[in-house]
Amino acid sequence: MQKKISVGAAIGIAAAAVLVGAVMTFQVSYVTLQDQFEEKYLTELKDPSAEKEPVRVIEKNYSEFITNVADKLSEVDAIYRDNYLGELDNEVLMDSIMEGYVYGTGDEYAAYYSDEDFLALMSDLEGEMTGVGISVIYNTEYNVIEVLNVMPDSPALEAGVKIGDLIITVGEEKESVSALGYYPAVNKMQGEAGTEAVFTVARGENYEETVDFRITRAKVTELTVMYHVYEPDNTVGVIKITGFDSKTPEQFVEAVSELGMQGCEKLVVDLRYNPGGELNSILSILDFLVPEGPIIRIFDKDNNEVEAYYSEADELDVPIAVLVNGSTASAAELFTSTLRDYNKATIVGTTTYGKGCMQTTMALSDYSAVSVTFRMYNPPFSENYHGVGIVPDVVVELDEAVADKNIYKITDAEDNQLAAAVATFYEKAE
């Protein structure tokens, strides 16, 4: 089967968190859901009063194994209900049993999702989450939360939160972030749409000015693409992609356009600490970058090619270097290997993670879901890199002087890997 995708309308692990719902984690690489089910599912979870019809994605199979499990589980359950001093929560027990089964398969990328977790996953892949709309990091100098980015059209932007603000207290009681700790403080910043996030920031010279905020949380679009003009050479644009969700292609094309208008003629795409993401997202971006031809070849467990995705003829014709490291994984590795296969970029950094398999997430009849590894995917022309990783064309370790520094806090002048990527543009020209 061949499929063609187009960027179409899109044209025109550091200690970082996104305060729009949850701390960033690895995302699944491929979600399979029928369109009508996805629409129905999301509608019903958002509206509990909606009439629900059971959706059975997996046929029930009462094998000998299932019968044995049921018999043994009944024995254990009876013992606990007759003897246990504590209280049993049936929902927690069910989720724990499912998690245990998935763990027991040995599938290191598998996962079980409760109905709430599954809804959050789908929202994450759609690039929309709930919060005030800021990306943050842990500021080790002051033991506080530092605002790394303020997302467009977000409650935080409207309220006046600024990049570089230090969040020093959180909550109505103004609990100190340094006393609470980073992750507990981040948790207090999160919440459902319509509720308020209360916090105080320090800013200005020597952080002497303090500003109190009370911001109503809302749905915001996650910012997965950040960009800037390279400080030592204003002909080079730097685009950092933190992950691939449904909004990433549009953000990426916008970054390319904006940097072009600022006079950039060369691009460094920084994929360090990028864990991957959603299939259609990476396909759209690669279609924008490479000429007509294959982007990805998908194989089943018997090594039969079952699908292939192709790009259209249009391509971005600028010199590109790609920055990678040991935390560049999955879809980010596909990005890297595809550009290499088409001789579109020089790869710089250290060997990547090595994840060349994909997962499908399938809904169960009670609106929970299970993610299972079910395919291997290969780059357009080269071999699969699963378990091996991609060795860069130019191997460069990050300088020890900044190795312990948060990747988002390393300046262009300090970043020797970035400098090595920029140098490749001029080495090719000689």
Side-chain angles (χ1 to χ4, degrees), residues 52 119 122 234 271 301 317:
K52 297 182 179 181
L119 178 60
M122 295 306 298
N234 59 17
L271 299 181
K301 63 180 182 180
D317 188 19

Side-chain angles (χ1 to χ4, degrees), residues 133-316:
I134 57 177
S135 302
V136 303
I137 58 175
Y138 181 48
N139 184 303
T140 56
E141 182 178 358
Y142 295 101
N143 294 320
V144 294
I145 299 170
E146 181 173 349
V147 177
L148 173 68
N149 225 315
V150 181
M151 298 178 189
D153 301 320
S154 66
L157 182 65
E158 184 177 347
V161 178
K162 298 179 180 180
I163 294 173
D165 279 353
L166 300 184
I167 300 175
I168 55 177
T169 70
V170 293
E172 297 281 2
E173 303 300 322
K174 290 196 171 186
E175 296 178 87
S176 166
V177 171
S178 59
L180 276 174
Y182 177 68
Y183 289 109
V186 165
N187 289 337
K188 284 184 175 291
M189 290 286 292
Q190 298 166 352
E192 297 179 357
T195 61
E196 290 186 327
V198 180
F199 57 97
T200 302
V201 306
R203 62 169 59 148
E205 186 175 356
N206 298 319
Y207 298 106
E208 293 177 352
E209 178 188 357
T210 60
V211 182
D212 294 327
F213 287 99
R214 181 180 294 273
I215 303 176
T216 301
R217 301 178 179 95
K219 288 285 186 181
V220 296
T221 299
E222 184 176 352
L223 193 65
T224 56
V225 177
M226 294 175 279
Y227 61 93
H228 68 276
V229 176
Y230 183 59
E231 292 180 4
D233 183 345
N234 59 17
T235 68
V236 177
V238 181
I239 301 177
K240 183 169 185 62
I241 307 177
T242 60
F244 295 95
D245 63 31
S246 67
K247 306 297 183 184
T248 308
E250 181 179 354
Q251 294 175 11
F252 180 80
V253 174
E254 181 183 352
V256 172
S257 176
E258 288 293 326
L259 289 171
M261 287 190 290
Q262 294 180 52
C264 296
E265 302 168 349
K266 306 175 262 309
L267 293 176
V268 176
V269 181
D270 187 354
L271 299 181
R272 291 174 295 183
Y273 299 101
N274 183 318
E278 196 261 334
L279 179 65
N280 288 331
S281 175
I282 186 66
L283 291 177
S284 293
I285 293 174
L286 288 172
D287 184 25
F288 175 68
L289 293 173
V290 302
E292 185 173 9
I295 297 177
I296 181 175
R297 297 171 293 133
I298 300 175
F299 295 80
D300 63 18
K301 63 180 182 180
D302 297 320
N303 203 34
N304 298 313
E305 184 171 332
V306 292
E307 287 182 297
Y309 291 81
Y310 288 75
S311 63
E312 296 178 340
D314 293 339
E315 62 177 307
L316 182 67

Side-chain angles (χ1 to χ4, degrees), residues 3 5-6 25-33 35 38 118 121-128 222 224 241-250 274-287 295-296 298 309 329-335 355 357-361 377:
K3 296 185 180 180
I5 51 91
S6 172
T25 60
F26 271 40
Q27 299 179 32
V28 293
S29 300
Y30 185 59
V31 174
T32 302
L33 285 173
D35 291 341
E38 180 177 348
F118 187 35
L121 171 68
M122 295 306 298
S123 297
D124 188 21
L125 290 176
E126 289 172 355
E128 293 184 352
E222 184 176 352
T224 56
I241 307 177
T242 60
F244 295 95
D245 63 31
S246 67
K247 306 297 183 184
T248 308
E250 181 179 354
N274 183 318
E278 196 261 334
L279 179 65
N280 288 331
S281 175
I282 186 66
L283 291 177
S284 293
I285 293 174
L286 288 172
D287 184 25
I295 297 177
I296 181 175
I298 300 175
Y309 291 81
S330 194
E333 290 175 290
L334 175 62
F335 181 103
K355 181 180 182 293
C357 60
M358 61 172 28
Q359 289 67 50
T360 180
T361 301
Y377 61 85

Side-chain angles (χ1 to χ4, degrees), residues 22-146:
V23 175
M24 290 177 63
T25 60
F26 271 40
Q27 299 179 32
V28 293
S29 300
Y30 185 59
V31 174
T32 302
L33 285 173
Q34 297 176 349
D35 291 341
Q36 61 269 31
F37 169 72
E38 180 177 348
E39 180 180 355
K40 175 183 188 307
Y41 174 84
L42 293 176
T43 300
E44 290 182 351
L45 278 188
K46 291 174 182 176
D47 180 11
S49 65
E51 184 178 351
K52 297 182 179 181
E53 296 179 7
V55 176
R56 189 161 289 116
V57 178
I58 304 297
E59 291 290 334
K60 288 185 177 179
N61 179 13
Y62 293 103
S63 65
E64 182 180 352
F65 170 73
I66 296 298
T67 301
N68 291 338
V69 169
D71 289 343
K72 190 166 186 176
L73 184 58
S74 294
E75 290 186 65
V76 174
D77 186 62
I79 290 172
Y80 263 84
R81 293 191 189 277
D82 289 343
N83 299 282
Y84 181 47
L85 294 178
E87 294 185 1
L88 298 178
D89 185 318
N90 289 340
E91 187 173 340
V92 171
L93 286 171
M94 179 65 76
D95 287 342
S96 299
I97 292 167
M98 296 301 103
E99 290 169 357
Y101 179 94
V102 171
Y103 175 80
T105 66
D107 184 349
E108 61 180 315
Y109 300 110
Y112 166 77
Y113 301 95
S114 67
D115 54 0
E116 291 182 358
D117 291 339
F118 187 35
L119 178 60
L121 171 68
M122 295 306 298
S123 297
D124 188 21
L125 290 176
E126 289 172 355
E128 293 184 352
M129 304 178 78
T130 301
V132 297
I134 57 177
S135 302
V136 303
I137 58 175
Y138 181 48
N139 184 303
T140 56
E141 182 178 358
Y142 295 101
N143 294 320
V144 294
I145 299 170
E146 181 173 349

